Amino acid sequence: MPMANNKTQCFTCNKEKITYSCKGCSKEFCFMDLAEHHKRLNEELHHIIDDYNAFKERINEQKQNPQNHALINQIDQWEIDSIEIIQQKAKECREIVIKLSQTCINDIEKKFNDLTEQIQQLQKENDFNEINFNYLTNQLIEITEELNNPSNISIQRESQSFMKEISIVLSKKSKFNKWKQNGITVAGGNGEGKELNQVNRPTGILIDKKKNIFIADSYNHRIVEWKYNSKKGKIVAGGNGEGHRINQLNYPTDVIIDQQNHSIIIADYNNRRVIQWLNQNQQILIDNIDCYGLAMDKNGFLYISDYQMDEVRRWKIGEYNNEGILVAGGNGEGQKLNHPTFMFVDEDQSIYVSDGNNNRVVKWKKGAKQGTVVAGGNGQGRNLNQLSYPRGVIVDHLGHIYVADSQNHRIMRCCEGKEEGEIVVGGNGKGNESNQLNNPYGLSFDNEGNLYVVDGWNHRIQKFDIVL
């Protein structure tokens, strides 16, 4: 009886032999070549182990010598190549890093001081509960996270001149805040009317450090202040009927507070004037101007949007008798405005303008002759890259832009350079449910990051709590 032929071809020697299968590569090897195959696998494993060990050594080396970071080496090499010029530039870059770090620390310290004041107030009043404790604990966790994870920086190199220029670039954190989708009515919400628990087509809004709400109660021709957790407002300007007397307002659209003297400054829309109220004493600051939005920067300069001249002008404190300085819009080259409404001015004095009839937000850097579209600008519509008559605009410390997309009944968050934005609250159709808006106007944050929306045609102010 002939012997069964169980021989197959060896992958290595190509001879017909009794072979054994390698489970890893599914190939057949004779006994001798299988041993050689295993030997090669062992050698490859040792190579991989060596690579891992080398990588581990690199990690340990960088941990022990952080000054050998690639970016630091680039700065050092650039300093050598450019000698005295680069030394001066390197010094400037280090100062910027120190300044940015100090600014971050100052911001955190300010938040910490605010928490300390709140704790001292609780101790003084001897009135506290678990809700207070949870809030204080969450706030401490948040500022601790900010201290432990500061913003990253990187190096940006330019090569336009005879030497290779470098500068420090601050990278924004990628953290995106979120808010509860059901708002809480914190002012108004009792129907259209002129009682102290009502508002009528409110427009602009301001939240102070104590979470008191100042509202441009437009159709009631007054400014009302709602104390924190109050059930009704208090008239702090106007309220004497529609008119043009010094103690009257006519459809006010925006309100800000001058921190120098704690006076209230109002865009008195139909009276075409900006007026100041200080302890029931009135003074017209600027007359014959089609004012809509107001803003004040850290230096006390006053910014006013003119919806007829399609421009924004700036005035210095105490110099309101001149024409001001054109800082955005106008009839020159660049991004022309068409019915600008609300504005926001950041720490660098860049101006973000809601360009109403152009359905976009335009940013004008300090001293710029031309603006840049940072939200919308793709025609009127409800897609994520479109706006429909934007109103309120605010920018957070990370550079995220928040827009009251009034006719889409939603609040959008946009990032400069990104094509599309995202809906943060609203966007559920026009309505008066807690997750709906009806022509939102002004926007504001309080010092905890909660979002306040002037829900204009619902005659209420909605607060959307931040999700920690």
Side-chain angles (χ1 to χ4, degrees):
M1 181 176 180
M3 183 180 293
N5 184 10
N6 60 352
K7 297 181 179 180
T8 56
Q9 188 179 47
C10 173
F11 178 78
T12 301
C13 66
N14 296 324
K15 295 179 180 179
E16 293 287 334
K17 294 183 178 181
I18 297 174
T19 58
Y20 306 88
S21 177
C22 173
K23 292 183 179 180
C25 63
S26 299
K27 294 183 174 63
E28 299 288 332
F29 298 91
C30 67
F31 183 77
M32 295 298 294
D33 288 332
L34 179 63
E36 185 65 27
H37 181 61
H38 284 163
K39 180 181 177 182
R40 283 198 299 271
L41 289 178
N42 281 325
E43 290 174 352
E44 290 181 11
L45 176 61
H46 287 308
H47 285 312
I48 292 173
I49 292 173
D50 290 342
D51 290 341
Y52 270 78
N53 289 335
F55 187 77
K56 184 177 180 180
E57 289 180 6
R58 287 184 60 191
I59 292 176
N60 291 334
E61 181 184 356
Q62 292 197 16
K63 287 172 64 177
Q64 295 172 5
N65 301 290
Q67 69 275 11
N68 290 336
H69 192 284
L71 295 181
I72 300 296
N73 292 336
Q74 290 180 37
I75 294 175
D76 292 343
Q77 186 59 50
W78 178 86
E79 185 177 9
I80 293 171
D81 294 341
S82 304
I83 314 175
E84 294 181 358
I85 299 177
I86 190 59
Q87 288 176 348
Q88 180 61 33
K89 188 63 181 181
K91 178 183 177 182
E92 293 172 1
C93 289
R94 294 183 188 111
E95 289 173 351
I96 292 173
V97 172
I98 293 170
K99 182 179 178 181
L100 291 172
S101 300
Q102 192 59 51
T103 299
C104 179
I105 294 297
N106 290 341
D107 289 342
I108 294 172
E109 187 176 31
K110 181 177 180 299
K111 293 179 181 178
F112 178 77
N113 291 337
D114 288 342
L115 282 178
T116 302
E117 290 180 9
Q118 294 179 49
I119 293 171
Q120 292 172 347
Q121 187 67 26
L122 289 174
Q123 290 177 322
K124 180 179 178 181
E125 296 176 356
N126 196 26
D127 182 15
F128 46 84
N129 54 36
E130 289 84 352
I131 295 175
N132 302 127
F133 295 156
N134 290 337
Y135 163 71
L136 293 172
T137 301
N138 288 333
Q139 290 300 298
L140 184 59
I141 292 172
E142 182 176 335
I143 62 176
T144 301
E145 178 67 18
E146 288 185 39
L147 185 63
N148 292 337
N149 298 285
S151 298
N152 294 323
I153 59 173
S154 60
I155 301 300
Q156 178 174 294
R157 303 188 64 142
E158 303 288 345
S159 57
Q160 302 301 317
S161 59
F162 70 94
M163 65 171 233
K164 292 184 177 179
E165 186 74 39
I166 67 168
S167 59
I168 300 297
V169 179
L170 179 64
S171 300
K172 305 294 185 183
K173 284 186 177 179
S174 59
K175 176 184 176 183
F176 287 91
N177 289 332
K178 293 183 179 180
W179 291 265
K180 293 181 179 179
Q181 294 303 294
N182 292 311
I184 303 168
T185 301
V186 292
N190 297 302
E192 175 184 344
K194 59 182 179 181
E195 299 300 321
L196 290 180
N197 69 340
Q198 296 176 305
V199 290
N200 190 351
R201 295 283 183 91
T203 51
I205 189 176
L206 172 73
I207 314 295
D208 70 11
K209 293 181 180 179
K210 297 180 180 179
K211 298 186 182 65
N212 301 320
I213 309 170
F214 293 81
I215 307 166
D217 190 4
S218 186
Y219 276 49
N220 281 327
H221 316 290
R222 65 191 185 186
I223 306 298
V224 290
E225 177 188 6
W226 285 62
K227 295 288 187 181
Y228 180 57
N229 279 342
S230 177
K231 299 299 181 183
K232 63 181 181 179
K234 172 188 175 183
I235 299 172
V236 293
N240 300 305
E242 174 186 354
H244 61 270
R245 295 198 311 269
I246 190 70
N247 69 338
Q248 291 180 305
L249 299 173
N250 193 344
Y251 294 97
T253 51
D254 205 3
V255 57
I256 60 173
I257 293 179
D258 186 346
Q259 297 300 329
Q260 296 268 342
N261 56 16
H262 303 288
S263 65
I264 299 171
I265 299 176
I266 306 160
D268 194 6
Y269 181 86
N270 266 11
N271 280 328
R272 302 185 63 248
R273 66 189 182 188
V274 175
I275 189 168
Q276 180 186 58
W277 283 60
L278 178 59
N279 299 325
Q280 295 302 313
N281 296 315
Q282 303 86 31
Q283 176 187 0
I284 297 174
L285 300 182
I286 302 166
D287 210 352
N288 297 318
I289 181 171
D290 292 297
C291 52
Y292 194 106
L294 302 175
M296 186 169 281
D297 66 22
K298 62 183 179 182
N299 299 315
F301 287 97
L302 177 65
Y303 298 73
I304 304 172
S305 64
D306 189 319
Y307 71 93
Q308 289 289 358
M309 296 299 293
D310 298 321
E311 64 185 20
V312 176
R313 288 186 175 270
R314 184 184 70 200
W315 279 262
K316 190 176 181 180
I317 298 174
E319 297 183 2
Y320 300 123
N321 56 348
N322 57 35
E323 294 183 352
I325 299 174
L326 179 68
V327 291
N331 296 317
E333 294 298 323
Q335 298 290 355
K336 294 184 179 180
L337 303 175
N338 188 353
H339 200 151
T341 56
F342 292 100
M343 300 171 296
F344 181 88
V345 181
D346 68 14
E347 289 289 315
D348 300 322
Q349 294 181 301
S350 294
I351 309 160
Y352 297 77
V353 186
S354 270
D355 192 9
N357 285 350
N358 283 327
N359 304 298
R360 65 189 183 182
V361 176
V362 183
K363 175 183 177 181
W364 291 68
K365 292 185 178 180
K366 181 181 179 181
K369 301 300 181 183
Q370 182 171 341
T372 303
V373 177
V374 293
N378 297 297
Q380 185 176 15
R382 62 180 60 187
N383 294 327
L384 293 179
N385 67 343
Q386 293 179 305
L387 300 171
S388 183
Y389 205 74
R391 298 283 188 141
V393 57
I394 48 179
V395 182
D396 67 17
H397 67 286
L398 298 176
H400 303 147
I401 305 156
Y402 298 82
V403 189
D405 191 9
S406 68
Q407 293 183 6
N408 283 325
H409 316 293
R410 65 190 184 185
I411 307 302
M412 298 292 293
R413 173 167 52 204
C414 305
C415 298
E416 187 174 352
K418 288 192 175 181
E419 180 66 22
E420 292 187 344
E422 62 176 326
I423 301 170
V424 292
V425 296
N428 299 304
K430 178 171 66 173
N432 59 9
E433 298 296 326
S434 61
N435 68 340
Q436 292 179 306
L437 301 170
N438 188 349
N439 280 270
Y441 285 72
L443 294 177
S444 186
F445 288 123
D446 64 18
N447 52 17
E448 297 174 20
N450 301 310
L451 177 63
Y452 293 72
V453 180
V454 178
D455 194 7
W457 289 16
N458 280 328
H459 315 291
R460 66 187 184 183
I461 309 301
Q462 293 292 90
K463 175 188 174 185
F464 295 87
D465 289 328
I466 191 168
V467 178
L468 298 176

